[in-house]
Amino acid sequence: MISLVKDCVFPDQKSIELVKIKCTFESYRDIALFWVQNDSDCFISMLDGNMVIYNVSADFTELKSFIRMIGPHSIFTDKVTADNLGLKDYKTVSVMEKCSDENSDVLSDVLSSDEIYNLLNVKGLALPPYEYFAVDYCHRLNGGKADCFGIKNICASISFNCENYAFINGIASRKKGMGSVALKGIMSKNKGRTVFACCERETEPFYLKNGFKFCYNAVYWVRE
């Protein structure tokens, strides 16, 4: 049974879907929606029509009916779950992971939200409209649930965090070689946390070179 909940105890599992759900819960618990199937088999969040599913052993018949009824704009989940749900035409990404022990010797500039947005607004990064990005980023930052590293007009990276975990929500460089600087900078701000990143297959070598390991494949599905 899938139940709408106001509070829940999340398992301590290394999963970017679960980290995304936890981050949403800690920043938007009063306005986002959260469901649990059979107490702990499956955790679901939805904010602004964007759904995240963390699955252990879901009842897929029930979950399919639930998704049809709710009608999310998008779904982020692991590839196995997506295939069991019968999702089509999704984008597959590689989930990368590293426990951060970084100490960056490069200081971050103080960048405004529009400077960060403009740096991250490159081909391959699907950013929401600036108005949504700025409100979300500033809300999380002011609540201590986001971090940023940036060098003016050169590179930027941002992360969202919850307890001992974080995920990189955007990283981009306008100068060759500075992507690793941006990555090390944001990892330094998350020292001691397990940090996740999603990337396309061709970008895996960048993360592997910087000490990450491949975990599994996840998917973004967007309703047409």
Side-chain angles (χ1 to χ4, degrees):
M1 180 178 179
I2 297 176
S3 304
L4 183 67
V5 295
K6 288 294 185 181
D7 200 3
C8 55
V9 178
F10 296 105
D12 186 21
Q13 297 292 332
K14 290 186 176 182
S15 159
I16 192 170
E17 304 90 65
L18 192 58
V19 172
K20 281 177 174 282
I21 292 171
K22 286 181 179 180
C23 286
T24 300
F25 184 79
E26 293 188 5
S27 293
Y28 293 103
R29 63 184 300 173
D30 293 332
I31 60 174
L33 297 172
F34 302 90
W35 297 270
V36 179
Q37 185 184 57
N38 300 332
D39 295 329
S40 62
D41 290 347
C42 181
F43 292 85
I44 306 163
S45 70
M46 191 164 75
L47 178 65
D48 295 333
N50 301 307
M51 180 177 284
V52 181
I53 302 172
Y54 166 72
N55 169 42
V56 178
S57 54
D59 177 338
F60 285 109
T61 300
E62 181 186 45
L63 189 55
K64 287 179 183 178
S65 297
F66 172 79
I67 291 171
R68 284 196 297 269
M69 178 182 67
I70 298 297
H73 169 70
S74 70
I75 295 175
F76 178 78
T77 190
D78 66 277
K79 188 175 184 302
V80 173
T81 296
D83 289 339
N84 276 287
L85 288 172
L87 300 181
K88 304 294 183 183
D89 300 322
Y90 54 65
K91 179 180 179 180
T92 302
V93 292
S94 301
V95 177
M96 313 298 289
E97 173 201 335
K98 181 182 180 182
C99 183
S100 178
D101 57 358
E102 301 286 351
N103 285 307
S104 176
D105 54 2
V106 179
L107 295 178
S108 174
D109 291 334
V110 178
L111 302 179
S112 64
S113 59
D114 64 319
E115 287 177 312
I116 296 168
Y117 185 86
N118 288 333
L119 280 167
L120 295 178
N121 193 18
V122 296
K123 184 178 179 180
L125 268 181
L127 293 181
Y130 170 72
E131 294 77 11
Y132 180 88
F133 170 88
V135 170
D136 180 47
Y137 166 71
C138 292
H139 175 73
R140 295 180 193 253
L141 186 68
N142 293 335
K145 298 300 178 182
D147 286 292
C148 171
F149 176 90
I151 299 176
K152 191 176 180 68
N153 299 323
I154 294 178
C155 65
S157 53
I158 60 173
S159 66
F160 296 157
N161 67 71
C162 60
E163 301 171 348
N164 298 321
Y165 299 94
F167 68 93
I168 297 172
N169 198 53
I171 180 170
S173 171
R174 301 300 179 97
K175 185 177 179 180
K176 186 174 176 60
M178 295 302 290
S180 291
V181 173
L183 180 58
K184 187 173 183 179
I186 200 66
M187 293 296 286
S188 179
K189 289 178 177 286
N190 287 285
K191 187 173 182 180
R193 292 190 175 111
T194 296
V195 180
F196 291 96
C198 285
C199 67
E200 296 186 5
R201 183 75 177 270
E202 55 267 28
T203 315
E204 280 186 31
F206 167 75
Y207 285 98
L208 293 172
K209 180 183 71 175
N210 284 283
F212 280 71
K213 66 177 181 180
F214 171 82
C215 295
Y216 56 93
N217 287 319
V219 308
Y220 290 98
W221 173 84
V222 179
R223 184 179 299 280
E224 295 182 351

